Amino acid sequence: MELALPLWFEVGSLVALTLILAFDVFLAFRRPHIPSTRESALWIGFYVALAIVFALLMLWLGDAEHAGQFVAGWLTEYSLSIDNLFVFLIIMGRFAVPRKYQQELLMIGIILALLFRGIFILLGAALIENFSWIFYIFGAFLIYTAFNQAFTGHEEEAETENKLIAFFRRRIAITEEFDGAKMRTTIDGKRVFTPVIIVLIALGTTDVVFALDSIPAIFGITQSPFIVFTANVFALMGLRQLYFLLGDLVDKLVYLKYGIAFILAFIGVKLVLHALHENELPFINGGEHLDAVPEIGTFTSLAVIVAAMAVAVIASLIKIRIDHGRIPEPRIPGANGNGVVELSVDVETDADANTDAKTDAKKS
């Protein structure tokens, strides 16, 4: 299905998104700070509202099918971007990056992610245009990725950069101390790299890995390069603020990775079914299309994606609440079941004292 959108809308959208991202980059480097909860929430709300307005414009200027493809693709990429935050948290913690400078490095990581995804989108679009059987490979890759997502810890994912980082440490002079967010500094008159270079290498490697996962996933929803790219841009916008808004809560969403794994597996199966429906491989059905194979529609995909993420997030929040309720409250010696200290004090009144005195007088 050809994209039913006017050219001016595509060009205007790309220009507007570029300006918004440029402004966000300017703010990140002009005023490095730790965003407050309110500031982060407002920015995220702005980007989400912008994506919804964009989808409504696509519905108005185009059709419901492509608006639905954008929303499904955006939500898929957004869930994968949130998953990316797990690894970002590990990287920032591992290298003890000062929190004040984390947003600058995160912004660079997001820019790198956009560049890598842009490259993979162009490659993916070219492959799909010339080799329809590539959907078999995309589908199998996503099913394999879903298995790894469900059964591999994020700590193990972050460890994949270790050999590359060790390689650079052996070959270039790197100090152990940060100098703000500078990549190079001067120590004893000698120019050396700061740990920022290692953090950027780790972030860049992570971006490549996530781009390899996310691009086949969204091509399983739409084959429009414009929708693929804009969905990725909207998914990455606000990721920096989301990092500070969620903070350690991201690491506590323990079932999120299973929801993402389910989505990847679902899209992988969808791609394989699509490949069978459009089959041209001579050793499958003699190179003929398998028209009897069902294809999964855009709105079915959208419903599955929303349901999977909702179940994963709600289940994680319930687990957080249950675990919080299991934490024993500090006990104080002498406290009752409600944690209230009970003091037993013997108080001798004047009447008691007079009675005791009379009793002693009679005995004598």
Side-chain angles (χ1 to χ4, degrees), residues 84-104:
N84 208 344
L85 289 182
F86 282 100
V87 183
F88 283 175
L89 283 169
I90 293 170
I91 291 172
M92 295 296 180
R94 182 198 301 174
F95 296 105
V97 179
R99 195 165 175 80
K100 181 180 178 180
Y101 303 110
Q102 287 182 12
Q103 71 162 336
E104 295 178 60

Side-chain angles (χ1 to χ4, degrees), residues 318-329:
I318 291 173
K319 186 177 187 303
I320 291 172
R321 186 167 183 175
I322 292 173
D323 291 344
H324 180 72
R326 288 175 180 170
I327 298 174
E329 295 182 3

Side-chain angles (χ1 to χ4, degrees), residues 94-95 158-168 170:
R94 182 198 301 174
F95 296 105
E159 288 298 323
T160 57
E161 303 99 4
N162 274 353
K163 291 183 180 179
L164 183 62
I165 292 171
F167 172 83
F168 278 97
R170 287 194 301 268

Side-chain angles (χ1 to χ4, degrees), residues 72-86 149 210 235 256 259-260 263-264 305 309:
W74 170 55
L75 290 176
T76 300
E77 295 299 315
Y78 204 82
S79 64
L80 289 169
S81 296
I82 293 174
D83 191 48
N84 208 344
L85 289 182
F86 282 100
Q149 173 74 20
F210 275 92
L256 183 63
I260 295 172
I263 292 172
L264 292 176
I305 292 166
M309 291 307 300

Side-chain angles (χ1 to χ4, degrees), residues 1-5 58 63-77 121 124-125 128 135 138 142 214-232 267 270-271 274 295-299 301-302 305:
M1 185 184 295
E2 294 297 325
L3 180 65
L5 288 171
M58 291 186 71
D63 51 47
E65 173 66 21
H66 290 91
Q69 288 180 6
F70 168 76
V71 174
W74 170 55
L75 290 176
T76 300
E77 295 299 315
I121 288 168
I128 290 170
F135 285 111
F138 280 0
L142 285 181
S214 65
I215 298 307
I218 194 170
F219 270 117
I221 296 171
T222 177
Q223 281 80 62
S224 165
F226 173 73
I227 295 179
V228 171
F229 184 73
T230 52
N232 272 277
I267 297 175
K270 179 183 177 181
L271 279 172
H274 177 75
E295 286 216 75
I296 301 173
T298 297
F299 292 100
S301 300
L302 179 57
I305 292 166

Side-chain angles (χ1 to χ4, degrees), residues 15 22 37 45 54 65 72 134 141 157 197 211 242 314 330 344 363:
V15 171
T37 300
F54 185 76
E65 173 66 21
I134 199 70
F141 177 73
E157 293 176 9
I197 184 68
L242 189 64
I314 292 171
S344 177
K363 286 182 180 179

Side-chain angles (χ1 to χ4, degrees), residues 135-257:
F135 285 111
Y136 286 111
I137 296 176
F138 280 0
F141 177 73
L142 285 181
I143 293 171
Y144 168 77
T145 303
F147 178 84
N148 278 347
Q149 173 74 20
F151 299 104
T152 302
H154 291 285
E155 292 80 4
E156 296 174 39
E157 293 176 9
E159 288 298 323
T160 57
E161 303 99 4
N162 274 353
K163 291 183 180 179
L164 183 62
I165 292 171
F167 172 83
F168 278 97
R169 280 195 178 277
R170 287 194 301 268
R171 284 162 177 77
I172 60 178
I174 303 175
T175 180
E176 296 296 327
E177 301 296 328
F178 284 87
D179 183 10
K182 295 179 182 177
M183 191 177 297
R184 301 195 73 184
T185 188
T186 302
I187 296 181
D188 298 329
K190 183 180 178 181
R191 295 288 290 172
V192 294
F193 286 98
T194 69
V196 168
I197 184 68
I198 301 297
V199 174
L200 293 180
I201 291 171
L203 291 175
T205 307
T206 300
D207 287 333
V208 171
V209 172
F210 275 92
L212 286 172
D213 294 343
S214 65
I215 298 307
I218 194 170
F219 270 117
I221 296 171
T222 177
Q223 281 80 62
S224 165
F226 173 73
I227 295 179
V228 171
F229 184 73
T230 52
N232 272 277
V233 172
F234 275 106
L236 290 171
M237 287 196 306
L239 190 62
R240 173 172 60 89
Q241 290 86 354
L242 189 64
Y243 174 91
F244 290 100
L245 179 67
L246 296 182
D248 295 335
L249 179 61
V250 174
D251 198 37
K252 294 177 182 177
L253 298 175
V254 293
Y255 297 123
L256 183 63
K257 70 173 187 175

